[in-house]
Amino acid sequence: MGAIAERRSPNWDRVVRRLLRWVVVGMPAIMLLALVVSSDARYVARAGIEEARILLRRRPIQALVASPKTPAQLRQRLQLVLAARGYAADSMHLSVGRTFTTYVNVKRDTLLLVLSASRRERLRAYTWTYPIVGAVPYKGFFDFARARATAAELDRTGYDTYLRRAGAFSTLGYFSDPLLSTVVERDTMELVATVLHELAHNTLYVKNHTAFDESFASFVGYRGAQAFFRSRGDTIDAARAAARWRDERILDVFYAELARRLDSAYATTPAESGVEQVRATLFRWARTQLTGPVGQSLETYDWRWFVAAPLNNAVVIAQRLYRMNLNLFDEIYLQNDADIAETIRAIEVRVFTQPGQDPYQALYSRPGVPAD
């Protein structure tokens, strides 16, 4: 048996110096190189800077409510948000954390532009991949010029694009998201529905399933707003929330049918010949529906908006993100005696007991019983 060699103890001073040199010199150099060569790195850096700016300008809502300098209308809206937040925590059992306990005036009417895209000859979303949230079929831009440039670049390479304004976003509870002035400016029903929508993301988020996440949040937002206003004896806003939810379900059915027709047509039409004619025919039918029987049946949307609204594959995909299979959420709602808190809990149980499965498929299951 050979002799055992004694190992010399490490020189910890040298180790620490090397680590410090790596942190001080190496990491910044790698980050700078990434920013130079990678548009994704520049995008993430810009988003991080904008988020930091927003977070640094936060002001506690309670202090603003108590301040005599706060305009009366803003004070009323902030009080409504605090009440909705309290209802979300106590009656709906949503994960509120520190979300919407602060307020930021962003000093513009649009926080960011959101881009969606799809191939012209296929109804398939262009996706972007991010840390934590996974693949997402849209991209938000604080830099509006960059948003338009990215859309134009996709247009040139054969994609339909759709740029829309957004006044809010969620970090899924990872940060204490403030209430933004772009949200406060909405009417009282939409303000409460938006607060509950964003809190729903804190409560249940399924990675890589954006349509489910947004549709679930839409359900929580409008059905939750209906329950909230009813609990306050506000029958007008409760009725408006219920009417908006009916409109969402009508639009869900319409866009699902349009998507079905487009998918069928694209599958049977040679890309090099009749795709443009097929698109023109189907989008003409869709606009006729939106300005006619579908649009005029809506209670809370002005059908005349649809006359000038864009319509292409990217628009269809974007509209469906927030309105997909809404009937499934309402079926569970009715099974739970129209109790919004019990419905949210039932949905969570079904999704969490079917890990790795499409969350919509999980909605067909019962607690403890796998879906077919």
Side-chain angles (χ1 to χ4, degrees), residues 160 254-255 258 279 282-284 286-287 290 309-313 315-316:
D160 280 345
F254 164 73
Y255 282 112
L258 176 55
R279 283 166 54 91
L282 286 176
F283 289 136
R284 186 164 52 248
R287 198 172 295 281
L290 287 169
L311 193 57
N312 59 33
N313 288 353
V315 171
V316 174

Side-chain angles (χ1 to χ4, degrees), residues 88-252:
D90 299 335
S91 299
M92 297 173 64
H93 309 304
L94 295 178
S95 300
V96 300
R98 298 290 298 167
T99 301
F100 300 142
T101 58
T102 57
Y103 170 77
V104 173
N105 185 349
V106 299
K107 302 185 185 301
R108 61 186 186 187
D109 61 0
T110 301
L111 179 65
L112 67 163
L113 291 179
V114 178
L115 173 64
S116 298
S118 169
R119 296 293 307 185
R120 291 180 63 81
E121 74 282 1
R122 288 183 299 166
L123 196 65
R124 297 291 182 272
Y126 186 102
T127 60
W128 291 266
T129 302
Y130 306 100
I132 300 174
V133 298
V136 177
Y138 53 73
K139 187 172 186 176
F141 292 84
F142 289 100
D143 184 339
F144 296 174
R146 185 59 187 162
R148 296 186 181 97
T150 304
E153 183 179 346
L154 286 167
D155 284 332
R156 286 192 296 270
T157 55
Y159 286 87
D160 280 345
T161 60
Y162 177 41
L163 269 177
R164 61 194 183 279
R165 296 179 176 182
F169 66 94
S170 172
T171 61
L172 309 179
Y174 286 96
F175 297 98
S176 300
D177 291 336
L179 178 71
L180 304 176
S181 54
T182 47
V183 173
V184 169
E185 294 166 358
R186 299 176 183 179
D187 66 61
T188 51
M189 186 278 289
E190 278 295 338
L191 173 58
V192 169
T194 301
V195 167
L196 299 180
H197 180 112
E198 300 301 337
L199 292 175
H201 287 317
N202 290 5
T203 305
L204 176 60
Y205 185 89
V206 184
K207 187 175 181 178
N208 297 325
H209 290 281
T210 305
F212 173 86
D213 296 325
E214 296 295 353
S215 297
F216 167 71
S218 293
F219 163 76
V220 171
Y222 291 121
R223 282 300 196 189
Q226 181 183 355
F228 168 75
F229 286 116
R230 191 189 301 124
S231 73
R232 293 163 62 90
D234 185 342
T235 56
I236 294 176
D237 269 338
R240 290 181 64 243
R244 176 55 63 88
W245 180 243
R246 288 193 294 271
D247 284 354
E248 295 298 323
R249 293 194 62 184
I250 289 171
L251 290 171
D252 175 13

